[in-house]
Amino acid sequence: MTLDFQQFYKNTTFIVGNDKHTGKTTFLKYALMNLRERGYRPAYMSIGVDGEGYDFLHGTSKPTIIVQPGDIVVTSAHCLESSDAAYQILNVFPQVTVLGRMALVNIARSGFVELTGPENNQQLSAILDYIQNETEADTFLVDGAVNRLSQVSSNQSAGFVMVMKVTASNLIQAAEQIRLLHLLIDLPSCSNCDSMPITGALTESRLKAIPEDCKAISILDFTRVFLSYEQMQSLCDKYSVSIKNKFILRYFIVNLFDVDKAAFAKMLDDHIRQHVVFNPFMEEAIC
Amino acid sequence: MLNDSLWQFTGIEYLYEQFTPLTPYGIAWKNSRELITDHVALKGIYDLTEAALEFINAAPEKADKVSWHLRRLPMVQCSHQANLQLHEIFQYKKFLLNYRQIIRVLPEELRQLFGLSFDSKELLSKLDIDKTEHETFYVSSKYDDNLRVIRQAIHDLDDDMKKRKAELCQKLVQQFQLDFHFRDFLVIPNESAAALPKDRLFLEPYDSCHVIVKPIFDQDYQQLLANRSQLVAKEKQLEQKIGAELSEWITNEVPTINGYTQAVRQLDIAFAHARLALQFNLTRPVINTRDTPISIKNGKLLPMAEHCRNMSLKYWPLNVDFNDPVAVLHGSNMSGKTVVLQTIGFLQLSAQLGMFVSADKYETTVFDEIYFVGDIASQKIKGLSSFGQEMTVLIKALQNKTENAYKLLLIDELVRTTNSAEATALLSGLLQELSQQTRVRSYIASHYYGLPKLARLTYYKMKGINWAGLLDKEQSTDRNLTERIRVIQKQMQYEIEPDTAKPDRDAIRIARLLGLNSEIVDYAQQYLDQENVL
């Protein structure tokens, strides 16, 4: 499976991870290089201070991005001050974060920029709206977190890439996460007014509280589900399950560590494998 | 800031949420929710709203342009702070560009009225040295020729390094099939890495079977990088120097810019008030001196009017002249007494928040304090009974918090939870006190009759049900509750009139209409006839 970057064009894509230090920013860099090469004009940002202090691959401090001329970037005024890139300020957003005001800039000369982002969903939504409506960028990337997805659910073009770090110790768990997420993404949109809405988290104890005579249930979005794949599968067998806020899954990016690709692929069904890209940074055919 | 119970009782949020200033200055003013108690200031706001209305009606396209630029005005921190950061300088430039555009669109008389003038041509030309008039900012090379020279040198270095990097990548592809074109690093199997030259490729472990590979750039390339860093440092120094100069220009002009921000705040608020007036067909209230009556012609409680429209019910606007400072409003259940109080509060708050009002005519005065005493969930006090809570709120309303404060009291069904004899006595005492107060106007809705006749106090009543208009079939006991309520609402005359006669016995008849056991209702009627009480 190879990445089709056309899917990112004219759309907003959140790069989320199944854990901290899974390689989200590394993937962002990789995506940016590919998008620029195709002539797209990317706009990108990170989310607030997420506590991920170093790059999982290199153990360096908070990953920086090499921005290129024409890129549209959101970061804090503080981070811009320490950048060696040249930029033109396009806007300064009113919300104040711990790292100062968020600024929108058009890059005039390449250089390093540390990305920081808005701290809450409201700020994120306002900034995304502004970038989409007021700049010439055509591809929008957010180095983000799963819990930020709910905020952009109203934006029909919003999708996400799930970056996963798979090691020998989390192999089975990771495969189950992929299966569960795929199952949730495949659920139909909620159109049945009679379905029972599950507000808040869908947990094992919440399952027990569903009335016996209930036939259909609806979930707000997949981030609210805290069940195993088997539990979710049996729920789908028992009830008509729908989802209110659907998100477009673009890819599972799976970074394998000491795990054989074929062995892991075998743990996933064919229709799921179609969405999985293994180690995009790995060069396999070397003479 | 007004208290929540008054806000909630009057339903003023319905109108206030539609009042939408566009600038951060106007939005901050809105969010303060300040009751305007200065008679002159209030009239000034109305004058500006009228001027904005006239302009919007006469030149809607120009008004749209004004709104466009208002929306783009940023908040500038108007202090004498030196050394503004670049993003702050950008804010000033953006502010001045949009402010100037607003002035260009507005006619001379409006500019004068709002105190809008532009005296910062020189500052703006400094901030927009490239004369682009774009809402962007960067430290242009035109500020200093040395900056241009340094940037050119960085540009040349970047070109050189890019070329060298491309050549290196090309060689690595040719020699080792390692393609770094889209990647800063590659992950390759250990066995492939074994043969790679360590002086040309940097290797570090990825996992037990793979390593990370990165190209090693030669000494010349490293030297170029170091040179670039030095040049960037020099560039930063120059940018800081230019930034400091621009900061000084700006801070010297802070008093003038403060004047601009105040003027645009007024303009923004006036335009928002005008848009609101157009949206809801509001009229300018008349603010009189404090001893003149409050007069309402076709006053509308807008949330109720919308509710009635949605329910396909007739809405009855309020028409009344309150000549005395104390008014007691009687009426049966469901007759609309509370709605009258809400309407008075809605109109008064609209007026004193600077908005026009939903009435054909609203003549009033300015109150320093406005209180609501009645049953609202938000004013529940833990540990107190309903009666205790009422008394606490009433005591607070009657206290002289501010010397010589002129107050408006809206009192809904006071002492409704206690026995009728004591309730009437307490209410009588309150009326006695209020009728002697020269600085309080009170509107009191109450079920209780037998209250004293006092100077400066007028009794009113709700007209109630038009019993003659009720058809026999509408009084039928076969109807369900929803239908019965609808019949009552249909025949209810939500009008106010002076109460000079004996009270109507609507409550008993309404209870019958709602389906209460006829034996109970008949007995109640007989009891009332025997007692013959007011």
Side-chain angles (χ1 to χ4, degrees), chain B residues 419-446:
Chain B
N419 68 73
S420 61
E422 282 189 289
T424 308
L426 271 170
L427 208 47
S428 300
L430 177 66
L431 292 176
Q432 175 72 19
E433 168 68 16
L434 292 175
S435 67
Q436 289 173 7
Q437 291 276 351
T438 55
R439 304 192 67 79
V440 180
R441 274 182 178 265
S442 323
Y443 299 94
I444 302 157
S446 177

PDB file of all heavy atoms in Angstrom, chain B residues 419-446:
ATOM      1  N   ASN B 419     -49.450  32.108  54.519  1.00  0.00           N
ATOM      2  CA  ASN B 419     -50.911  32.164  54.638  1.00  0.00           C
ATOM      3  C   ASN B 419     -51.430  33.525  54.188  1.00  0.00           C
ATOM      4  O   ASN B 419     -50.746  34.556  54.293  1.00  0.00           O
ATOM      5  CB  ASN B 419     -51.328  31.850  56.074  1.00  0.00           C
ATOM      6  CG  ASN B 419     -50.914  32.946  57.046  1.00  0.00           C
ATOM      7  OD1 ASN B 419     -51.506  34.029  57.054  1.00  0.00           O
ATOM      8  ND2 ASN B 419     -49.897  32.663  57.857  1.00  0.00           N
ATOM      9  N   SER B 420     -52.654  33.545  53.685  1.00  0.00           N
ATOM     10  CA  SER B 420     -53.153  34.717  52.983  1.00  0.00           C
ATOM     11  C   SER B 420     -53.287  35.924  53.905  1.00  0.00           C
ATOM     12  O   SER B 420     -53.065  37.060  53.480  1.00  0.00           O
ATOM     13  CB  SER B 420     -54.475  34.402  52.304  1.00  0.00           C
ATOM     14  OG  SER B 420     -55.429  34.039  53.283  1.00  0.00           O
ATOM     15  N   ALA B 421     -53.627  35.702  55.155  1.00  0.00           N
ATOM     16  CA  ALA B 421     -53.818  36.823  56.065  1.00  0.00           C
ATOM     17  C   ALA B 421     -52.494  37.552  56.296  1.00  0.00           C
ATOM     18  O   ALA B 421     -52.391  38.768  56.138  1.00  0.00           O
ATOM     19  CB  ALA B 421     -54.381  36.318  57.398  1.00  0.00           C
ATOM     20  N   GLU B 422     -51.452  36.772  56.598  1.00  0.00           N
ATOM     21  CA  GLU B 422     -50.150  37.400  56.842  1.00  0.00           C
ATOM     22  C   GLU B 422     -49.543  37.944  55.557  1.00  0.00           C
ATOM     23  O   GLU B 422     -48.868  38.981  55.560  1.00  0.00           O
ATOM     24  CB  GLU B 422     -49.192  36.390  57.477  1.00  0.00           C
ATOM     25  CG  GLU B 422     -49.461  36.200  58.953  1.00  0.00           C
ATOM     26  CD  GLU B 422     -48.373  35.378  59.612  1.00  0.00           C
ATOM     27  OE1 GLU B 422     -48.319  34.164  59.336  1.00  0.00           O
ATOM     28  OE2 GLU B 422     -47.593  35.950  60.383  1.00  0.00           O
ATOM     29  N   ALA B 423     -49.802  37.231  54.479  1.00  0.00           N
ATOM     30  CA  ALA B 423     -49.283  37.685  53.187  1.00  0.00           C
ATOM     31  C   ALA B 423     -49.844  39.055  52.855  1.00  0.00           C
ATOM     32  O   ALA B 423     -49.111  39.970  52.447  1.00  0.00           O
ATOM     33  CB  ALA B 423     -49.652  36.673  52.099  1.00  0.00           C
ATOM     34  N   THR B 424     -51.183  39.200  53.049  1.00  0.00           N
ATOM     35  CA  THR B 424     -51.821  40.485  52.756  1.00  0.00           C
ATOM     36  C   THR B 424     -51.256  41.568  53.673  1.00  0.00           C
ATOM     37  O   THR B 424     -51.001  42.701  53.229  1.00  0.00           O
ATOM     38  CB  THR B 424     -53.351  40.367  52.955  1.00  0.00           C
ATOM     39  OG1 THR B 424     -53.813  39.245  52.210  1.00  0.00           O
ATOM     40  CG2 THR B 424     -54.064  41.619  52.488  1.00  0.00           C
ATOM     41  N   ALA B 425     -51.045  41.219  54.916  1.00  0.00           N
ATOM     42  CA  ALA B 425     -50.516  42.194  55.864  1.00  0.00           C
ATOM     43  C   ALA B 425     -49.105  42.639  55.478  1.00  0.00           C
ATOM     44  O   ALA B 425     -48.793  43.825  55.455  1.00  0.00           O
ATOM     45  CB  ALA B 425     -50.508  41.576  57.263  1.00  0.00           C
ATOM     46  N   LEU B 426     -48.277  41.656  55.132  1.00  0.00           N
ATOM     47  CA  LEU B 426     -46.897  41.988  54.733  1.00  0.00           C
ATOM     48  C   LEU B 426     -46.861  42.855  53.480  1.00  0.00           C
ATOM     49  O   LEU B 426     -46.119  43.829  53.375  1.00  0.00           O
ATOM     50  CB  LEU B 426     -46.105  40.700  54.473  1.00  0.00           C
ATOM     51  CG  LEU B 426     -45.387  40.093  55.675  1.00  0.00           C
ATOM     52  CD1 LEU B 426     -44.862  38.710  55.327  1.00  0.00           C
ATOM     53  CD2 LEU B 426     -44.230  40.987  56.118  1.00  0.00           C
ATOM     54  N   LEU B 427     -47.711  42.454  52.531  1.00  0.00           N
ATOM     55  CA  LEU B 427     -47.772  43.185  51.262  1.00  0.00           C
ATOM     56  C   LEU B 427     -48.251  44.619  51.492  1.00  0.00           C
ATOM     57  O   LEU B 427     -47.744  45.569  50.900  1.00  0.00           O
ATOM     58  CB  LEU B 427     -48.727  42.439  50.315  1.00  0.00           C
ATOM     59  CG  LEU B 427     -48.499  42.571  48.819  1.00  0.00           C
ATOM     60  CD1 LEU B 427     -47.043  42.379  48.442  1.00  0.00           C
ATOM     61  CD2 LEU B 427     -49.359  41.554  48.074  1.00  0.00           C
ATOM     62  N   SER B 428     -49.213  44.764  52.412  1.00  0.00           N
ATOM     63  CA  SER B 428     -49.737  46.097  52.738  1.00  0.00           C
ATOM     64  C   SER B 428     -48.630  46.968  53.331  1.00  0.00           C
ATOM     65  O   SER B 428     -48.484  48.141  52.974  1.00  0.00           O
ATOM     66  CB  SER B 428     -50.885  45.993  53.746  1.00  0.00           C
ATOM     67  OG  SER B 428     -51.922  45.214  53.203  1.00  0.00           O
ATOM     68  N   GLY B 429     -47.845  46.342  54.205  1.00  0.00           N
ATOM     69  CA  GLY B 429     -46.728  47.075  54.802  1.00  0.00           C
ATOM     70  C   GLY B 429     -45.730  47.524  53.746  1.00  0.00           C
ATOM     71  O   GLY B 429     -45.239  48.664  53.767  1.00  0.00           O
ATOM     72  N   LEU B 430     -45.469  46.639  52.834  1.00  0.00           N
ATOM     73  CA  LEU B 430     -44.520  46.968  51.761  1.00  0.00           C
ATOM     74  C   LEU B 430     -45.051  48.124  50.898  1.00  0.00           C
ATOM     75  O   LEU B 430     -44.314  49.061  50.568  1.00  0.00           O
ATOM     76  CB  LEU B 430     -44.266  45.726  50.884  1.00  0.00           C
ATOM     77  CG  LEU B 430     -43.348  45.938  49.692  1.00  0.00           C
ATOM     78  CD1 LEU B 430     -41.915  46.266  50.136  1.00  0.00           C
ATOM     79  CD2 LEU B 430     -43.325  44.713  48.785  1.00  0.00           C
ATOM     80  N   LEU B 431     -46.329  48.047  50.579  1.00  0.00           N
ATOM     81  CA  LEU B 431     -46.923  49.101  49.750  1.00  0.00           C
ATOM     82  C   LEU B 431     -46.869  50.447  50.472  1.00  0.00           C
ATOM     83  O   LEU B 431     -46.600  51.481  49.856  1.00  0.00           O
ATOM     84  CB  LEU B 431     -48.373  48.744  49.391  1.00  0.00           C
ATOM     85  CG  LEU B 431     -48.535  47.547  48.437  1.00  0.00           C
ATOM     86  CD1 LEU B 431     -50.016  47.228  48.230  1.00  0.00           C
ATOM     87  CD2 LEU B 431     -47.866  47.818  47.103  1.00  0.00           C
ATOM     88  N   GLN B 432     -47.158  50.392  51.762  1.00  0.00           N
ATOM     89  CA  GLN B 432     -47.098  51.612  52.575  1.00  0.00           C
ATOM     90  C   GLN B 432     -45.688  52.241  52.471  1.00  0.00           C
ATOM     91  O   GLN B 432     -45.552  53.437  52.227  1.00  0.00           O
ATOM     92  CB  GLN B 432     -47.410  51.238  54.038  1.00  0.00           C
ATOM     93  CG  GLN B 432     -47.276  52.353  55.044  1.00  0.00           C
ATOM     94  CD  GLN B 432     -48.383  53.379  54.929  1.00  0.00           C
ATOM     95  OE1 GLN B 432     -49.438  53.083  54.335  1.00  0.00           O
ATOM     96  NE2 GLN B 432     -48.153  54.568  55.439  1.00  0.00           N
ATOM     97  N   GLU B 433     -44.688  51.382  52.616  1.00  0.00           N
ATOM     98  CA  GLU B 433     -43.295  51.867  52.561  1.00  0.00           C
ATOM     99  C   GLU B 433     -42.957  52.406  51.169  1.00  0.00           C
ATOM    100  O   GLU B 433     -42.413  53.507  51.022  1.00  0.00           O
ATOM    101  CB  GLU B 433     -42.356  50.703  52.938  1.00  0.00           C
ATOM    102  CG  GLU B 433     -40.890  50.925  52.668  1.00  0.00           C
ATOM    103  CD  GLU B 433     -40.251  51.994  53.552  1.00  0.00           C
ATOM    104  OE1 GLU B 433     -40.875  52.354  54.573  1.00  0.00           O
ATOM    105  OE2 GLU B 433     -39.162  52.473  53.197  1.00  0.00           O
ATOM    106  N   LEU B 434     -43.296  51.621  50.136  1.00  0.00           N
ATOM    107  CA  LEU B 434     -42.939  52.013  48.764  1.00  0.00           C
ATOM    108  C   LEU B 434     -43.645  53.290  48.328  1.00  0.00           C
ATOM    109  O   LEU B 434     -43.073  54.115  47.601  1.00  0.00           O
ATOM    110  CB  LEU B 434     -43.268  50.877  47.781  1.00  0.00           C
ATOM    111  CG  LEU B 434     -42.413  49.609  47.926  1.00  0.00           C
ATOM    112  CD1 LEU B 434     -42.916  48.511  46.996  1.00  0.00           C
ATOM    113  CD2 LEU B 434     -40.947  49.912  47.614  1.00  0.00           C
ATOM    114  N   SER B 435     -44.878  53.449  48.780  1.00  0.00           N
ATOM    115  CA  SER B 435     -45.638  54.634  48.343  1.00  0.00           C
ATOM    116  C   SER B 435     -45.039  55.913  48.937  1.00  0.00           C
ATOM    117  O   SER B 435     -45.270  57.007  48.430  1.00  0.00           O
ATOM    118  CB  SER B 435     -47.110  54.498  48.738  1.00  0.00           C
ATOM    119  OG  SER B 435     -47.228  54.530  50.142  1.00  0.00           O
ATOM    120  N   GLN B 436     -44.247  55.761  49.983  1.00  0.00           N
ATOM    121  CA  GLN B 436     -43.631  56.942  50.593  1.00  0.00           C
ATOM    122  C   GLN B 436     -42.226  57.209  50.048  1.00  0.00           C
ATOM    123  O   GLN B 436     -41.646  58.253  50.287  1.00  0.00           O
ATOM    124  CB  GLN B 436     -43.559  56.758  52.116  1.00  0.00           C
ATOM    125  CG  GLN B 436     -44.931  56.850  52.763  1.00  0.00           C
ATOM    126  CD  GLN B 436     -44.905  56.494  54.240  1.00  0.00           C
ATOM    127  OE1 GLN B 436     -43.864  56.288  54.834  1.00  0.00           O
ATOM    128  NE2 GLN B 436     -46.081  56.412  54.827  1.00  0.00           N
ATOM    129  N   GLN B 437     -41.708  56.240  49.349  1.00  0.00           N
ATOM    130  CA  GLN B 437     -40.351  56.393  48.788  1.00  0.00           C
ATOM    131  C   GLN B 437     -40.428  57.278  47.541  1.00  0.00           C
ATOM    132  O   GLN B 437     -41.249  57.034  46.664  1.00  0.00           O
ATOM    133  CB  GLN B 437     -39.790  55.020  48.382  1.00  0.00           C
ATOM    134  CG  GLN B 437     -39.474  54.116  49.538  1.00  0.00           C
ATOM    135  CD  GLN B 437     -38.100  54.393  50.115  1.00  0.00           C
ATOM    136  OE1 GLN B 437     -37.321  55.146  49.550  1.00  0.00           O
ATOM    137  NE2 GLN B 437     -37.825  53.821  51.274  1.00  0.00           N
ATOM    138  N   THR B 438     -39.562  58.239  47.469  1.00  0.00           N
ATOM    139  CA  THR B 438     -39.585  59.117  46.292  1.00  0.00           C
ATOM    140  C   THR B 438     -38.598  58.652  45.220  1.00  0.00           C
ATOM    141  O   THR B 438     -38.604  59.172  44.120  1.00  0.00           O
ATOM    142  CB  THR B 438     -39.228  60.555  46.697  1.00  0.00           C
ATOM    143  OG1 THR B 438     -37.970  60.522  47.365  1.00  0.00           O
ATOM    144  CG2 THR B 438     -40.298  61.150  47.597  1.00  0.00           C
ATOM    145  N   ARG B 439     -37.747  57.709  45.575  1.00  0.00           N
ATOM    146  CA  ARG B 439     -36.720  57.311  44.623  1.00  0.00           C
ATOM    147  C   ARG B 439     -36.865  55.849  44.198  1.00  0.00           C
ATOM    148  O   ARG B 439     -35.886  55.205  43.804  1.00  0.00           O
ATOM    149  CB  ARG B 439     -35.326  57.552  45.223  1.00  0.00           C
ATOM    150  CG  ARG B 439     -35.103  59.001  45.664  1.00  0.00           C
ATOM    151  CD  ARG B 439     -33.673  59.288  45.970  1.00  0.00           C
ATOM    152  NE  ARG B 439     -32.829  59.236  44.788  1.00  0.00           N
ATOM    153  CZ  ARG B 439     -32.746  60.214  43.889  1.00  0.00           C
ATOM    154  NH1 ARG B 439     -33.460  61.299  44.009  1.00  0.00           N
ATOM    155  NH2 ARG B 439     -31.958  60.095  42.839  1.00  0.00           N
ATOM    156  N   VAL B 440     -38.075  55.348  44.310  1.00  0.00           N
ATOM    157  CA  VAL B 440     -38.311  53.961  43.889  1.00  0.00           C
ATOM    158  C   VAL B 440     -39.581  53.898  43.041  1.00  0.00           C
ATOM    159  O   VAL B 440     -40.591  54.501  43.389  1.00  0.00           O
ATOM    160  CB  VAL B 440     -38.481  53.022  45.104  1.00  0.00           C
ATOM    161  CG1 VAL B 440     -38.719  51.579  44.649  1.00  0.00           C
ATOM    162  CG2 VAL B 440     -37.292  53.088  46.027  1.00  0.00           C
ATOM    163  N   ARG B 441     -39.501  53.194  41.954  1.00  0.00           N
ATOM    164  CA  ARG B 441     -40.713  52.861  41.195  1.00  0.00           C
ATOM    165  C   ARG B 441     -40.896  51.349  41.306  1.00  0.00           C
ATOM    166  O   ARG B 441     -39.944  50.591  41.091  1.00  0.00           O
ATOM    167  CB  ARG B 441     -40.565  53.242  39.723  1.00  0.00           C
ATOM    168  CG  ARG B 441     -40.936  54.683  39.441  1.00  0.00           C
ATOM    169  CD  ARG B 441     -40.822  55.003  37.972  1.00  0.00           C
ATOM    170  NE  ARG B 441     -41.236  56.374  37.730  1.00  0.00           N
ATOM    171  CZ  ARG B 441     -42.462  56.731  37.360  1.00  0.00           C
ATOM    172  NH1 ARG B 441     -43.400  55.816  37.154  1.00  0.00           N
ATOM    173  NH2 ARG B 441     -42.766  58.000  37.171  1.00  0.00           N
ATOM    174  N   SER B 442     -42.129  50.950  41.628  1.00  0.00           N
ATOM    175  CA  SER B 442     -42.351  49.525  41.859  1.00  0.00           C
ATOM    176  C   SER B 442     -43.536  49.030  41.041  1.00  0.00           C
ATOM    177  O   SER B 442     -44.562  49.717  40.974  1.00  0.00           O
ATOM    178  CB  SER B 442     -42.667  49.263  43.328  1.00  0.00           C
ATOM    179  OG  SER B 442     -41.927  50.087  44.147  1.00  0.00           O
ATOM    180  N   TYR B 443     -43.366  47.860  40.473  1.00  0.00           N
ATOM    181  CA  TYR B 443     -44.442  47.200  39.740  1.00  0.00           C
ATOM    182  C   TYR B 443     -44.608  45.821  40.379  1.00  0.00           C
ATOM    183  O   TYR B 443     -43.662  45.026  40.404  1.00  0.00           O
ATOM    184  CB  TYR B 443     -44.096  47.109  38.257  1.00  0.00           C
ATOM    185  CG  TYR B 443     -43.937  48.499  37.691  1.00  0.00           C
ATOM    186  CD1 TYR B 443     -42.689  49.099  37.615  1.00  0.00           C
ATOM    187  CD2 TYR B 443     -45.058  49.240  37.315  1.00  0.00           C
ATOM    188  CE1 TYR B 443     -42.553  50.395  37.160  1.00  0.00           C
ATOM    189  CE2 TYR B 443     -44.933  50.542  36.857  1.00  0.00           C
ATOM    190  CZ  TYR B 443     -43.677  51.120  36.785  1.00  0.00           C
ATOM    191  OH  TYR B 443     -43.554  52.411  36.349  1.00  0.00           O
ATOM    192  N   ILE B 444     -45.801  45.613  40.920  1.00  0.00           N
ATOM    193  CA  ILE B 444     -46.007  44.432  41.763  1.00  0.00           C
ATOM    194  C   ILE B 444     -47.184  43.618  41.229  1.00  0.00           C
ATOM    195  O   ILE B 444     -48.306  44.131  41.122  1.00  0.00           O
ATOM    196  CB  ILE B 444     -46.297  44.872  43.221  1.00  0.00           C
ATOM    197  CG1 ILE B 444     -45.128  45.728  43.747  1.00  0.00           C
ATOM    198  CG2 ILE B 444     -46.554  43.677  44.119  1.00  0.00           C
ATOM    199  CD1 ILE B 444     -45.505  46.631  44.891  1.00  0.00           C
ATOM    200  N   ALA B 445     -46.909  42.375  40.881  1.00  0.00           N
ATOM    201  CA  ALA B 445     -47.989  41.481  40.468  1.00  0.00           C
ATOM    202  C   ALA B 445     -48.414  40.671  41.691  1.00  0.00           C
ATOM    203  O   ALA B 445     -47.566  40.124  42.402  1.00  0.00           O
ATOM    204  CB  ALA B 445     -47.507  40.558  39.361  1.00  0.00           C
ATOM    205  N   SER B 446     -49.723  40.641  41.948  1.00  0.00           N
ATOM    206  CA  SER B 446     -50.179  39.911  43.134  1.00  0.00           C
ATOM    207  C   SER B 446     -51.606  39.398  42.959  1.00  0.00           C
ATOM    208  O   SER B 446     -52.429  40.022  42.308  1.00  0.00           O
ATOM    209  CB  SER B 446     -50.120  40.828  44.360  1.00  0.00           C
ATOM    210  OG  SER B 446     -50.627  40.150  45.474  1.00  0.00           O
TER     211      SER B 446
END
